[in-house]
Amino acid sequence: MADTPTDRERTDVEEAIMEATYRALREQGYADLTMRAIAEEYGKTTAAIHYHYDTKDDLLVAFLEYLLDTFLDHVHDAATDDPESHLGALLDGLLIEREDDYDLVCALLEMRAQAPYHDAIREQLVRNDEYLREVVRSVVADGVERGVFRDDVDPDTVASALITIVKGARTRFVVLADPSVLHVARDTADAYVQGVLDA
Amino acid sequence: MADTPTDRERTDVEEAIMEATYRALREQGYADLTMRAIAEEYGKTTAAIHYHYDTKDDLLVAFLEYLLDTFLDHVHDAATDDPESHLGALLDGLLIEREDDYDLVCALLEMRAQAPYHDAIREQLVRNDEYLREVVRSVVADGVERGVFRDDVDPDTVASALITIVKGARTRFVVLADPSVLHVARDTADAYVQGVLDA
């Protein structure tokens, strides 16, 4: 497992601002998001937010870190000792469980699309991508070590492949607004895993 | 093969405006794109563009159609009679050959991310997705019919899976700015195809 750069305690105030950001992003999308909208969700002034986060980009970087932490806590709770079902639970979390969060998936795609123009956001998105890949990689490597998966597979390659399928599904979900693309991707991931991993 | 809704002649003027849009999008991205920037690339006034396209969204819908046509012409030229290498050429065109077109891939992801807020653009993106899927589906169906691929696969499912991998690769390409993700996706597509299609 990689270091857990995101594994830090948030104060109650930071937690409340993250939750307000979540609601504001879902309602406004990213392009139209203002500190004022976040402050309104938070129930305080924009100054109260600026006290913790200098700029909107700083706040959004913290929010991306918060989303990663939330997801990691969730998969940690869902982890099983069996590599195959652990991998399945991860893929469910990354795909199927996003079905009811269309507005957030849209806001996150907007952020990804703006990455080339916002260095700090790009850096955090790259860290999130790396971290997720590492989580998937370690489950695959564990399965290879224990003989559940074939020993000639490269866990790094498998992890990148699965993250590619996840990102593609979410991009198509935004454009097509049809949750069935998440299920198609879940089946694609299973077919890929069966093809390359089954011992 | 599906109907070819996009298969229509463009006038020289329309062609020139499309090429100007291509250059402007690569230089400015989508969020900052103005009719003025396109007109500057075109070398005429914005009125000259508005004569052909009422709004920026109308122009961008036409541009998405133009990109699809350009790609279809290209794959038509690269088509072979062998379903396996035909599929390979399609995937190369959708993935590897985008490597040198980072700025356009970024602009297109911006458009996808804005799809939920721009109905006409969303509709054209959905048509492009459907059309590409149909092109892939027909190559797979041809291979199944001729016994090159297994006869128990559903060409529709395979096509959706491959388009998911393509979209995921492009989204990661934008965020990571690293063309190796396109090659990883190309290998992922091959592994998937081998797993489900090999007779």
Side-chain angles (χ1 to χ4, degrees):
Chain A
M1 184 64 73
D3 291 340
T4 53
T6 63
D7 188 19
R8 63 174 187 78
E9 290 299 311
R10 282 181 187 83
T11 63
D12 288 349
V13 168
E14 286 170 335
E15 187 79 25
I17 296 176
M18 291 300 105
E19 284 167 16
T21 306
Y22 178 84
R23 291 191 301 272
L25 262 176
R26 290 189 62 165
E27 273 160 39
Q28 318 259 325
Y30 164 82
D32 295 332
L33 187 72
T34 58
M35 288 297 245
R36 176 183 292 273
I38 298 166
E40 267 166 32
E41 290 289 346
Y42 179 42
K44 305 214 169 162
T45 62
T46 54
I49 293 177
H50 279 298
Y51 181 80
H52 297 276
Y53 305 97
D54 277 347
T55 65
K56 193 172 92 174
D57 277 12
D58 289 342
L59 174 59
L60 289 171
V61 166
F63 180 71
L64 288 170
E65 207 175 48
Y66 165 80
L67 282 182
L68 181 61
D69 279 348
T70 309
F71 180 72
L72 293 178
D73 285 349
H74 171 73
V75 295
H76 187 263
D77 293 345
T80 71
D81 193 47
D82 169 47
E84 207 154 358
S85 60
H86 193 171
L87 190 57
L90 267 173
L91 290 167
D92 282 344
L94 289 166
L95 288 166
I96 307 303
E97 291 163 24
R98 300 306 161 112
E99 177 164 49
D100 298 322
D101 221 355
Y102 180 70
D103 294 330
L104 183 70
V105 175
C106 288
L108 286 173
L109 189 67
E110 288 186 77
M111 277 198 235
R112 282 182 218 292
Q114 289 302 312
Y117 318 108
H118 296 260
D119 286 344
I121 287 178
R122 182 207 286 272
E123 281 159 26
Q124 186 60 42
L125 285 168
V126 171
R127 278 196 290 276
N128 282 22
D129 186 276
E130 277 168 1
Y131 204 90
L132 280 183
R133 251 192 313 140
E134 175 52 27
V135 169
V136 174
R137 194 205 61 76
S138 71
V139 175
V140 173
D142 180 43
V144 170
E145 210 162 281
R146 292 159 61 181
V148 183
F149 299 141
R150 283 200 337 240
D151 63 2
D152 62 344
V153 298
D154 173 27
D156 261 329
T157 303
V158 173
S160 294
L162 293 175
I163 297 299
T164 300
I165 292 168
V166 166
K167 299 300 177 196
R170 294 203 200 156
T171 302
R172 293 185 78 214
F173 184 32
V174 169
V175 174
L176 303 177
D178 176 359
S180 76
V181 301
L182 299 174
H183 293 264
V184 168
R186 185 67 187 80
D187 293 342
T188 303
D190 269 349
Y192 173 82
V193 164
Q194 265 183 20
V196 302
L197 284 188
D198 274 6
Chain B
M1 184 64 74
D3 291 339
T4 53
T6 64
D7 188 19
R8 63 172 187 80
E9 290 299 310
R10 280 180 188 83
T11 64
D12 289 348
V13 168
E14 286 169 335
E15 188 79 25
I17 296 176
M18 292 297 106
E19 284 166 16
T21 306
Y22 178 84
R23 292 192 300 273
L25 262 177
R26 289 188 63 165
E27 273 160 40
Q28 319 257 327
Y30 164 82
D32 296 331
L33 188 73
T34 57
M35 287 297 246
R36 176 183 293 273
I38 298 167
E40 268 168 31
E41 290 288 346
Y42 179 43
K44 304 212 170 163
T45 62
T46 53
I49 293 177
H50 280 298
Y51 181 80
H52 297 277
Y53 306 98
D54 279 346
T55 65
K56 193 172 92 173
D57 276 13
D58 288 342
L59 174 59
L60 289 171
V61 166
F63 180 71
L64 288 170
E65 207 175 50
Y66 165 80
L67 282 182
L68 180 61
D69 279 348
T70 309
F71 180 72
L72 293 178
D73 285 348
H74 171 74
V75 296
H76 187 262
D77 293 345
T80 71
D81 193 46
D82 169 46
E84 208 155 357
S85 58
H86 193 169
L87 190 57
L90 266 173
L91 290 167
D92 283 343
L94 289 166
L95 287 167
I96 307 302
E97 290 162 26
R98 299 306 161 110
E99 176 164 47
D100 298 322
D101 222 354
Y102 180 70
D103 294 332
L104 184 70
V105 176
C106 288
L108 286 173
L109 188 66
E110 288 186 76
M111 276 198 236
R112 283 183 217 290
Q114 289 302 313
Y117 319 109
H118 295 260
D119 286 345
I121 287 178
R122 182 208 285 271
E123 281 161 25
Q124 187 59 42
L125 285 169
V126 170
R127 278 196 291 276
N128 281 22
D129 186 277
E130 277 169 1
Y131 204 89
L132 280 183
R133 250 190 316 140
E134 175 52 28
V135 170
V136 174
R137 195 205 61 76
S138 72
V139 175
V140 173
D142 180 42
V144 170
E145 211 162 280
R146 291 159 63 181
V148 183
F149 299 141
R150 281 198 342 237
D151 64 2
D152 62 344
V153 297
D154 172 27
D156 260 330
T157 303
V158 174
S160 293
L162 292 175
I163 297 299
T164 300
I165 292 168
V166 166
K167 299 300 178 197
R170 294 204 200 155
T171 301
R172 292 186 78 215
F173 184 33
V174 168
V175 174
L176 303 177
D178 176 358
S180 76
V181 302
L182 300 174
H183 293 264
V184 168
R186 185 68 187 80
D187 293 343
T188 303
D190 269 348
Y192 173 82
V193 165
Q194 264 184 21
V196 301
L197 284 189
D198 275 6

